[in-house]
Amino acid sequence: MDELSKTTEKLVQALRKKKMLSLKDLCKTANCCPMTVWRNLKTVGYYTSFSHKARYWTLADTPRFDKDGLWFYRDVGFSVHGTLPRIVPQLINNSPIGMIPREASERLRVRVQNQLHDAFTQGHIHRVAWGRTQLYVSADPEVQTQQLQRRQEQSDASNPVSDSDTIAILVQLVRTPHSSAKRIAAILETRGRHLTTQTVQRIIDTYDLRKKGRYTPSRS
């Protein structure tokens, strides 16, 4: 058995036993440098963690990836998609209802605000205002529409609009009949009522104000 095969065998056996190891531990196991670890494990296949600064390694056939291509061992995350900049767009596109930053961070168990912003600016995903935060959705218009519709349906079911909020929306419509739903939501926000643009629009639609000619939204 040549030296490369001996080193590979040591590394593979160690990873089979522990499931994952840090690069430092792998180097210690085979008494070699990081480049040698990479060269040997490349022949059998491996993944590096997307969390913990890619410090941990596992064999390619060890992870049991879920529907989002994720696998967690203890608190360390691995993905079939590789690094966070590649994982985040896939996660958003695969979500039935899109994700706000907190949801994406909880799903990946790491903060991903920067990656979400970068993916948006690069055109890989889209975002819309959602209450006091941003909702990230697919850049594909058809998928995006479905995500927004499902998200709104979920929001409606779990957060019915109170009578007080409904009255506040209707009163503001009387005061500023040409304001858009977005503008009305912003005005009510300053008064301590945290309502999404979609919620305001739902009240407008529910009371059939457009058809009755009482509400003519502007673009502002």
Side-chain angles (χ1 to χ4, degrees), residues 148-158:
L148 289 171
Q149 182 177 348
R150 294 191 194 103
R151 169 70 68 158
Q152 187 61 55
E153 290 171 352
Q154 182 188 79
S155 178
D156 293 347
S158 59

Side-chain angles (χ1 to χ4, degrees), residues 36 70 163 195 201 203-204:
T36 300
L70 303 175
D163 291 342
L195 301 168
Q201 188 62 59
I203 294 302
I204 293 169

Side-chain angles (χ1 to χ4, degrees), residues 20-22 46-58 63-66 68-91 99 103-113 115:
M20 72 173 185
L21 285 168
S22 68
Y46 68 92
Y47 288 101
T48 56
S49 62
F50 65 79
S51 64
H52 298 75
K53 299 180 179 180
R55 185 186 310 148
Y56 292 95
W57 296 46
T58 189
R64 295 295 179 263
F65 294 114
D66 62 21
D68 291 319
L70 303 175
W71 178 69
F72 292 92
Y73 184 67
R74 296 173 183 168
D75 63 338
V76 181
F78 296 84
S79 173
V80 70
H81 302 299
T83 61
L84 278 174
R86 292 185 177 182
I87 296 168
V88 167
Q90 291 289 335
L91 184 66
M99 286 187 169
E103 292 170 341
S105 294
E106 289 176 354
R107 181 71 179 91
L108 295 173
R109 305 185 191 180
V110 294
R111 286 177 58 85
V112 292
Q113 279 83 347
Q115 288 79 10

Side-chain angles (χ1 to χ4, degrees), residues 194-219:
H194 310 307
L195 301 168
T196 66
T197 300
Q198 291 81 4
T199 296
V200 174
Q201 188 62 59
R202 176 156 57 94
I203 294 302
I204 293 169
D205 293 340
T206 297
Y207 285 84
D208 205 22
L209 297 178
R210 281 197 179 120
K211 291 182 181 178
K212 293 177 181 178
R214 298 177 185 172
Y215 175 71
T216 305
S218 68
R219 295 182 180 179

Side-chain angles (χ1 to χ4, degrees), residues 11 18 26-28 31 46 49-50 61-63 65 87 99 111 122 147 156 167 172 199 205 210:
L11 294 169
K18 299 290 187 178
L26 288 170
C27 290
K28 187 183 297 184
N31 191 28
Y46 68 92
S49 62
F50 65 79
D61 60 358
T62 296
F65 294 114
I87 296 168
M99 286 187 169
R111 286 177 58 85
Q122 293 165 10
Q147 289 175 319
D156 293 347
I167 292 170
Q172 190 58 46
T199 296
D205 293 340
R210 281 197 179 120

Side-chain angles (χ1 to χ4, degrees), residues 156-175:
D156 293 347
S158 59
N159 299 295
V161 184
S162 68
D163 291 342
S164 175
D165 284 339
T166 298
I167 292 170
I169 293 170
L170 296 176
V171 167
Q172 190 58 46
L173 278 169
V174 172
R175 291 175 177 172

